[in-house]
Amino acid sequence: MIQWYPGHMAKTKRLIEENLKLVDIVYEILDARIPYSSKNPIIDELILSKKRLVLLNKADLSDKNVNNSWISYYKKNGIECISINSLKGDGLKSINDKTYKICEDIIKKKRSKGITPRLRVMILGIPNVGKSTLINKLSGAGNAKTGNIPGVTKSKQWIKTQYFDLLDTPGILWPKFEDENVALMLAITGAIKDELLNIEEISIKLLSILKIYYPQYLLKRYNIINIDLPEYELLKNIGEKRGCLVAGGEIDVLRAAKTLIDDFRSGKLGNISLERPE
């Protein structure tokens, strides 16, 4: 079981609660590869009836058909959802259009009072899901610090864009993970620092999913002949094919595991979604 007890998470929760009244709408950013596991259930409790737009980020790394299934799932539950790629800026126009649509009543109310409608948006999501990268794309400047490791944003910051005022918040994770599967999914995608992880364990979990949904990617990338091997044997197979060897010709399983994880995270394996709405 992966444990995670950073003290600043409680502070982040308080910060969100205190600032919600200042904003018109919340952007909840999820990792398109793991929309279930990258969704912190505490966010639902915090934002309650506040208007919301769910953004499936890193859509360039995920399976487009599965993304569409998630969008339909959210729509059935009365929540607007779109897929985006904050790194390249794909989907930015859709974000603006959806925001105006969702906040139509607020805009009308402001105009009726003679106020020029400028919406305020809070950005929420777990660490390393792409919040700061999205803000920089929306604002057209490097206002928000970015990084490919969890925990880059340390405090709240307001950023002006052409259309909205954005409130960035630090990534918020659970005090502890009750569901080991969720912890493993977050570990696979890099939402938890690698130093805290058993890389072999999470690579075995990844292989178990790939065998079911994307066996063709394993066959193509690593020239694997028998996809039905147990996961640990598959990992050794990958190590052998990739030349992950130590003295005496032994297979370096840890290096093979790191190779698999890196190939997944970078998209070299293919467009992969690890979770489906069902």
Side-chain angles (χ1 to χ4, degrees), residues 24-25 27 51-53 80 82 92-111 116-121 138 161-166:
D24 302 302
I25 184 172
Y27 290 167
K51 294 179 186 294
R52 177 186 351 188
L53 175 60
E80 291 288 349
I82 56 175
L92 296 195
K93 187 180 184 302
S94 296
I95 291 175
N96 292 339
D97 293 346
K98 287 285 185 185
T99 302
Y100 282 124
K101 181 185 172 186
I102 295 167
C103 296
E104 197 172 5
D105 57 331
I106 294 174
I107 293 167
K108 283 181 181 176
K109 194 175 180 181
K110 286 185 176 183
R111 280 183 177 148
T116 303
R118 186 172 175 83
L119 298 171
R120 303 185 102 186
V121 182
L138 290 171
T161 76
Q162 184 180 352
Y163 305 100
F164 314 124
D165 293 331
L166 305 176

Short mmCIF file of all heavy atoms in Angstrom, two decimals, residues 24-25 27 51-53 80 82 92-111 116-121 138 161-166:
data_model
loop_
_atom_site.label_atom_id
_atom_site.label_comp_id
_atom_site.label_asym_id
_atom_site.label_seq_id
_atom_site.Cartn_x
_atom_site.Cartn_y
_atom_site.Cartn_z
N ASP A 24 -16.59 32.12 -10.15
CA ASP A 24 -17.88 31.81 -10.79
C ASP A 24 -17.96 30.34 -11.21
O ASP A 24 -19.05 29.77 -11.25
CB ASP A 24 -18.06 32.69 -12.03
CG ASP A 24 -18.02 34.18 -11.69
OD1 ASP A 24 -18.84 34.62 -10.87
OD2 ASP A 24 -17.14 34.87 -12.24
N ILE A 25 -16.83 29.76 -11.53
CA ILE A 25 -16.81 28.39 -12.05
C ILE A 25 -15.49 27.71 -11.68
O ILE A 25 -14.48 28.38 -11.49
CB ILE A 25 -17.01 28.39 -13.60
CG1 ILE A 25 -17.10 26.97 -14.16
CG2 ILE A 25 -15.92 29.19 -14.30
CD1 ILE A 25 -17.49 26.90 -15.64
N TYR A 27 -12.70 24.78 -12.89
CA TYR A 27 -12.19 23.82 -13.87
C TYR A 27 -11.57 22.67 -13.09
O TYR A 27 -10.60 22.86 -12.35
CB TYR A 27 -11.09 24.43 -14.74
CG TYR A 27 -11.52 25.49 -15.73
CD1 TYR A 27 -10.57 26.29 -16.36
CD2 TYR A 27 -12.86 25.69 -16.04
CE1 TYR A 27 -10.94 27.27 -17.27
CE2 TYR A 27 -13.23 26.66 -16.95
CZ TYR A 27 -12.27 27.45 -17.56
OH TYR A 27 -12.65 28.42 -18.46
N LYS A 51 -20.63 25.88 -10.23
CA LYS A 51 -20.55 25.48 -11.64
C LYS A 51 -19.19 24.86 -11.93
O LYS A 51 -18.18 25.27 -11.37
CB LYS A 51 -20.78 26.70 -12.54
CG LYS A 51 -22.20 27.28 -12.42
CD LYS A 51 -22.35 28.50 -13.31
CE LYS A 51 -23.70 29.18 -13.09
NZ LYS A 51 -24.83 28.35 -13.50
N ARG A 52 -19.19 23.87 -12.83
CA ARG A 52 -17.97 23.10 -13.05
C ARG A 52 -17.82 22.71 -14.52
O ARG A 52 -18.79 22.41 -15.20
CB ARG A 52 -18.02 21.83 -12.19
CG ARG A 52 -16.84 20.92 -12.41
CD ARG A 52 -16.90 19.59 -11.69
NE ARG A 52 -17.95 19.38 -10.73
CZ ARG A 52 -18.03 18.32 -9.93
NH1 ARG A 52 -17.07 17.41 -9.96
NH2 ARG A 52 -19.02 18.17 -9.10
N LEU A 53 -16.56 22.69 -14.97
CA LEU A 53 -16.21 22.15 -16.28
C LEU A 53 -15.08 21.16 -16.05
O LEU A 53 -14.04 21.51 -15.51
CB LEU A 53 -15.76 23.26 -17.24
CG LEU A 53 -15.24 22.83 -18.61
CD1 LEU A 53 -16.30 22.06 -19.39
CD2 LEU A 53 -14.76 24.03 -19.42
N GLU A 80 -20.58 19.20 -17.82
CA GLU A 80 -19.89 19.42 -19.09
C GLU A 80 -18.45 18.91 -18.97
O GLU A 80 -17.78 19.12 -17.96
CB GLU A 80 -19.88 20.91 -19.44
CG GLU A 80 -21.25 21.47 -19.80
CD GLU A 80 -21.75 21.00 -21.16
OE1 GLU A 80 -20.95 20.42 -21.93
OE2 GLU A 80 -22.93 21.23 -21.47
N ILE A 82 -14.79 18.13 -21.53
CA ILE A 82 -14.11 18.12 -22.83
C ILE A 82 -12.69 17.56 -22.66
O ILE A 82 -12.14 17.59 -21.56
CB ILE A 82 -14.03 19.54 -23.46
CG1 ILE A 82 -13.36 20.53 -22.51
CG2 ILE A 82 -15.40 20.02 -23.88
CD1 ILE A 82 -13.14 21.89 -23.12
N LEU A 92 -8.40 24.72 -26.39
CA LEU A 92 -8.53 25.98 -25.66
C LEU A 92 -9.81 26.74 -26.04
O LEU A 92 -10.47 27.30 -25.18
CB LEU A 92 -7.31 26.88 -25.90
CG LEU A 92 -5.95 26.39 -25.40
CD1 LEU A 92 -4.95 27.53 -25.37
CD2 LEU A 92 -6.04 25.76 -24.02
N LYS A 93 -10.12 26.74 -27.32
CA LYS A 93 -11.34 27.45 -27.76
C LYS A 93 -12.58 26.79 -27.15
O LYS A 93 -13.51 27.48 -26.72
CB LYS A 93 -11.44 27.45 -29.29
CG LYS A 93 -12.61 28.31 -29.80
CD LYS A 93 -12.70 28.31 -31.30
CE LYS A 93 -13.81 29.24 -31.77
NZ LYS A 93 -15.14 28.88 -31.23
N SER A 94 -12.56 25.46 -27.08
CA SER A 94 -13.69 24.74 -26.49
C SER A 94 -13.85 25.10 -25.02
O SER A 94 -14.97 25.21 -24.51
CB SER A 94 -13.49 23.23 -26.62
OG SER A 94 -13.50 22.84 -27.97
N ILE A 95 -12.73 25.30 -24.32
CA ILE A 95 -12.80 25.70 -22.91
C ILE A 95 -13.52 27.03 -22.79
O ILE A 95 -14.43 27.19 -21.97
CB ILE A 95 -11.38 25.80 -22.30
CG1 ILE A 95 -10.75 24.41 -22.19
CG2 ILE A 95 -11.44 26.46 -20.92
CD1 ILE A 95 -9.30 24.43 -21.72
N ASN A 96 -13.12 28.01 -23.60
CA ASN A 96 -13.76 29.33 -23.56
C ASN A 96 -15.25 29.25 -23.88
O ASN A 96 -16.09 29.82 -23.17
CB ASN A 96 -13.06 30.29 -24.53
CG ASN A 96 -11.65 30.64 -24.11
OD1 ASN A 96 -11.30 30.51 -22.93
ND2 ASN A 96 -10.83 31.07 -25.05
N ASP A 97 -15.58 28.55 -24.96
CA ASP A 97 -16.98 28.43 -25.40
C ASP A 97 -17.84 27.77 -24.32
O ASP A 97 -18.94 28.25 -24.01
CB ASP A 97 -17.08 27.62 -26.70
CG ASP A 97 -16.44 28.35 -27.89
OD1 ASP A 97 -16.18 29.56 -27.76
OD2 ASP A 97 -16.19 27.69 -28.92
N LYS A 98 -17.34 26.67 -23.75
CA LYS A 98 -18.10 25.95 -22.71
C LYS A 98 -18.26 26.80 -21.46
O LYS A 98 -19.32 26.78 -20.82
CB LYS A 98 -17.39 24.64 -22.35
CG LYS A 98 -17.47 23.55 -23.39
CD LYS A 98 -18.84 22.90 -23.43
CE LYS A 98 -18.86 21.72 -24.41
NZ LYS A 98 -20.22 21.15 -24.55
N THR A 99 -17.21 27.54 -21.11
CA THR A 99 -17.27 28.38 -19.90
C THR A 99 -18.36 29.43 -20.04
O THR A 99 -19.16 29.63 -19.11
CB THR A 99 -15.91 29.06 -19.65
OG1 THR A 99 -14.90 28.05 -19.52
CG2 THR A 99 -15.94 29.88 -18.37
N TYR A 100 -18.41 30.09 -21.19
CA TYR A 100 -19.44 31.11 -21.41
C TYR A 100 -20.84 30.48 -21.40
O TYR A 100 -21.79 31.07 -20.88
CB TYR A 100 -19.20 31.83 -22.74
CG TYR A 100 -18.11 32.88 -22.65
CD1 TYR A 100 -17.02 32.83 -23.52
CD2 TYR A 100 -18.16 33.91 -21.73
CE1 TYR A 100 -16.01 33.79 -23.45
CE2 TYR A 100 -17.18 34.87 -21.65
CZ TYR A 100 -16.09 34.80 -22.51
OH TYR A 100 -15.09 35.74 -22.44
N LYS A 101 -20.96 29.29 -21.96
CA LYS A 101 -22.25 28.60 -22.00
C LYS A 101 -22.72 28.24 -20.59
O LYS A 101 -23.88 28.49 -20.22
CB LYS A 101 -22.14 27.34 -22.85
CG LYS A 101 -23.44 26.57 -22.98
CD LYS A 101 -23.23 25.26 -23.74
CE LYS A 101 -24.49 24.41 -23.71
NZ LYS A 101 -24.27 23.07 -24.32
N ILE A 102 -21.81 27.67 -19.79
CA ILE A 102 -22.17 27.25 -18.44
C ILE A 102 -22.50 28.45 -17.56
O ILE A 102 -23.39 28.38 -16.71
CB ILE A 102 -21.00 26.44 -17.80
CG1 ILE A 102 -20.78 25.13 -18.56
CG2 ILE A 102 -21.26 26.14 -16.33
CD1 ILE A 102 -19.47 24.43 -18.22
N CYS A 103 -21.81 29.58 -17.78
CA CYS A 103 -21.98 30.77 -16.92
C CYS A 103 -22.88 31.82 -17.54
O CYS A 103 -22.84 33.00 -17.16
CB CYS A 103 -20.60 31.37 -16.61
SG CYS A 103 -19.52 30.30 -15.66
N GLU A 104 -23.71 31.39 -18.48
CA GLU A 104 -24.59 32.33 -19.19
C GLU A 104 -25.45 33.17 -18.25
O GLU A 104 -25.58 34.39 -18.40
CB GLU A 104 -25.48 31.55 -20.16
CG GLU A 104 -26.13 32.40 -21.22
CD GLU A 104 -26.85 31.54 -22.26
OE1 GLU A 104 -26.93 30.30 -22.08
OE2 GLU A 104 -27.34 32.12 -23.23
N ASP A 105 -26.00 32.52 -17.22
CA ASP A 105 -26.87 33.24 -16.28
C ASP A 105 -26.09 34.26 -15.45
O ASP A 105 -26.58 35.36 -15.16
CB ASP A 105 -27.61 32.26 -15.35
CG ASP A 105 -26.66 31.36 -14.58
OD1 ASP A 105 -25.55 31.08 -15.08
OD2 ASP A 105 -27.02 30.93 -13.46
N ILE A 106 -24.87 33.92 -15.08
CA ILE A 106 -24.03 34.84 -14.30
C ILE A 106 -23.67 36.06 -15.14
O ILE A 106 -23.72 37.20 -14.66
CB ILE A 106 -22.73 34.13 -13.84
CG1 ILE A 106 -23.06 33.03 -12.84
CG2 ILE A 106 -21.73 35.12 -13.24
CD1 ILE A 106 -21.88 32.17 -12.43
N ILE A 107 -23.35 35.83 -16.42
CA ILE A 107 -23.00 36.92 -17.33
C ILE A 107 -24.18 37.87 -17.50
O ILE A 107 -24.04 39.10 -17.44
CB ILE A 107 -22.53 36.36 -18.69
CG1 ILE A 107 -21.20 35.62 -18.53
CG2 ILE A 107 -22.39 37.48 -19.73
CD1 ILE A 107 -20.79 34.77 -19.72
N LYS A 108 -25.39 37.31 -17.68
CA LYS A 108 -26.59 38.14 -17.84
C LYS A 108 -26.85 38.97 -16.60
O LYS A 108 -27.21 40.15 -16.68
CB LYS A 108 -27.81 37.24 -18.13
CG LYS A 108 -27.86 36.73 -19.56
CD LYS A 108 -29.10 35.86 -19.77
CE LYS A 108 -29.16 35.32 -21.21
NZ LYS A 108 -30.31 34.40 -21.40
N LYS A 109 -26.66 38.36 -15.43
CA LYS A 109 -26.89 39.05 -14.16
C LYS A 109 -25.92 40.22 -13.99
O LYS A 109 -26.30 41.32 -13.57
CB LYS A 109 -26.72 38.06 -13.00
CG LYS A 109 -27.25 38.56 -11.67
CD LYS A 109 -27.16 37.46 -10.63
CE LYS A 109 -27.67 37.97 -9.28
NZ LYS A 109 -27.57 36.93 -8.23
N LYS A 110 -24.66 39.99 -14.34
CA LYS A 110 -23.66 41.05 -14.22
C LYS A 110 -23.97 42.20 -15.17
O LYS A 110 -23.85 43.37 -14.82
CB LYS A 110 -22.26 40.49 -14.50
CG LYS A 110 -21.71 39.63 -13.37
CD LYS A 110 -20.27 39.19 -13.64
CE LYS A 110 -19.73 38.40 -12.44
NZ LYS A 110 -18.31 38.02 -12.61
N ARG A 111 -24.36 41.83 -16.40
CA ARG A 111 -24.68 42.87 -17.39
C ARG A 111 -25.89 43.70 -16.96
O ARG A 111 -25.94 44.91 -17.19
CB ARG A 111 -24.94 42.22 -18.76
CG ARG A 111 -23.65 41.87 -19.49
CD ARG A 111 -23.90 41.30 -20.86
NE ARG A 111 -22.65 41.05 -21.57
CZ ARG A 111 -22.47 40.08 -22.44
NH1 ARG A 111 -23.47 39.27 -22.74
NH2 ARG A 111 -21.31 39.92 -23.04
N THR A 116 -19.28 44.96 -16.44
CA THR A 116 -18.68 44.27 -17.58
C THR A 116 -18.32 42.85 -17.14
O THR A 116 -17.52 42.68 -16.21
CB THR A 116 -17.41 45.00 -18.07
OG1 THR A 116 -17.76 46.34 -18.40
CG2 THR A 116 -16.83 44.30 -19.29
N PRO A 117 -18.96 41.84 -17.74
CA PRO A 117 -18.77 40.47 -17.25
C PRO A 117 -17.36 39.92 -17.50
O PRO A 117 -16.97 39.74 -18.65
CB PRO A 117 -19.82 39.66 -18.01
CG PRO A 117 -20.11 40.45 -19.24
CD PRO A 117 -19.86 41.88 -18.90
N ARG A 118 -16.62 39.74 -16.46
CA ARG A 118 -15.31 39.08 -16.54
C ARG A 118 -15.33 37.96 -15.51
O ARG A 118 -15.36 38.19 -14.30
CB ARG A 118 -14.18 40.06 -16.26
CG ARG A 118 -12.81 39.44 -16.47
CD ARG A 118 -11.69 40.45 -16.38
NE ARG A 118 -10.40 39.78 -16.48
CZ ARG A 118 -9.80 39.44 -17.60
NH1 ARG A 118 -10.39 39.69 -18.76
NH2 ARG A 118 -8.63 38.83 -17.61
N LEU A 119 -15.33 36.73 -15.99
CA LEU A 119 -15.50 35.57 -15.12
C LEU A 119 -14.22 35.24 -14.37
O LEU A 119 -13.12 35.46 -14.86
CB LEU A 119 -15.96 34.36 -15.94
CG LEU A 119 -17.30 34.51 -16.64
CD1 LEU A 119 -17.53 33.33 -17.59
CD2 LEU A 119 -18.45 34.59 -15.63
N ARG A 120 -14.43 34.67 -13.16
CA ARG A 120 -13.30 34.23 -12.34
C ARG A 120 -13.37 32.70 -12.21
O ARG A 120 -14.43 32.14 -11.91
CB ARG A 120 -13.33 34.89 -10.97
CG ARG A 120 -13.31 36.40 -11.04
CD ARG A 120 -13.21 37.03 -9.67
NE ARG A 120 -11.84 37.48 -9.39
CZ ARG A 120 -11.43 37.96 -8.22
NH1 ARG A 120 -12.25 38.02 -7.20
NH2 ARG A 120 -10.18 38.35 -8.06
N VAL A 121 -12.25 32.06 -12.46
CA VAL A 121 -12.21 30.61 -12.55
C VAL A 121 -11.19 30.05 -11.57
O VAL A 121 -10.08 30.56 -11.46
CB VAL A 121 -11.80 30.17 -13.98
CG1 VAL A 121 -11.80 28.65 -14.09
CG2 VAL A 121 -12.71 30.79 -15.04
N LEU A 138 -3.52 29.37 -21.54
CA LEU A 138 -4.68 30.26 -21.55
C LEU A 138 -4.28 31.73 -21.43
O LEU A 138 -4.91 32.61 -21.99
CB LEU A 138 -5.65 29.90 -20.42
CG LEU A 138 -6.40 28.56 -20.56
CD1 LEU A 138 -7.14 28.23 -19.28
CD2 LEU A 138 -7.38 28.61 -21.73
N THR A 161 -6.13 36.28 -17.97
CA THR A 161 -6.08 35.88 -19.37
C THR A 161 -6.90 36.89 -20.17
O THR A 161 -7.49 37.81 -19.60
CB THR A 161 -6.64 34.47 -19.58
OG1 THR A 161 -8.08 34.54 -19.51
CG2 THR A 161 -6.13 33.49 -18.53
N GLN A 162 -6.95 36.69 -21.46
CA GLN A 162 -7.72 37.62 -22.30
C GLN A 162 -9.19 37.65 -21.90
O GLN A 162 -9.84 38.70 -21.98
CB GLN A 162 -7.59 37.19 -23.78
CG GLN A 162 -8.27 38.14 -24.76
CD GLN A 162 -8.12 37.69 -26.19
OE1 GLN A 162 -7.39 36.75 -26.49
NE2 GLN A 162 -8.82 38.34 -27.10
N TYR A 163 -9.70 36.50 -21.43
CA TYR A 163 -11.12 36.40 -21.16
C TYR A 163 -11.48 36.29 -19.67
O TYR A 163 -12.51 36.80 -19.23
CB TYR A 163 -11.69 35.17 -21.89
CG TYR A 163 -11.43 35.16 -23.37
CD1 TYR A 163 -10.39 34.40 -23.90
CD2 TYR A 163 -12.18 35.95 -24.24
CE1 TYR A 163 -10.13 34.39 -25.27
CE2 TYR A 163 -11.93 35.96 -25.61
CZ TYR A 163 -10.89 35.18 -26.12
OH TYR A 163 -10.63 35.19 -27.46
N PHE A 164 -10.65 35.57 -18.91
CA PHE A 164 -11.00 35.26 -17.52
C PHE A 164 -9.86 35.58 -16.56
O PHE A 164 -8.72 35.76 -16.97
CB PHE A 164 -11.32 33.76 -17.37
CG PHE A 164 -12.22 33.20 -18.43
CD1 PHE A 164 -11.83 32.11 -19.20
CD2 PHE A 164 -13.46 33.76 -18.66
CE1 PHE A 164 -12.65 31.58 -20.18
CE2 PHE A 164 -14.30 33.24 -19.65
CZ PHE A 164 -13.90 32.16 -20.41
N ASP A 165 -10.20 35.62 -15.26
CA ASP A 165 -9.19 35.64 -14.21
C ASP A 165 -9.12 34.23 -13.64
O ASP A 165 -10.14 33.69 -13.20
CB ASP A 165 -9.57 36.63 -13.10
CG ASP A 165 -9.53 38.07 -13.58
OD1 ASP A 165 -8.74 38.36 -14.50
OD2 ASP A 165 -10.29 38.91 -13.05
N LEU A 166 -7.94 33.65 -13.65
CA LEU A 166 -7.76 32.26 -13.21
C LEU A 166 -7.10 32.22 -11.84
O LEU A 166 -6.10 32.91 -11.60
CB LEU A 166 -6.91 31.49 -14.20
CG LEU A 166 -7.37 31.47 -15.67
CD1 LEU A 166 -6.34 30.74 -16.52
CD2 LEU A 166 -8.74 30.81 -15.79
#
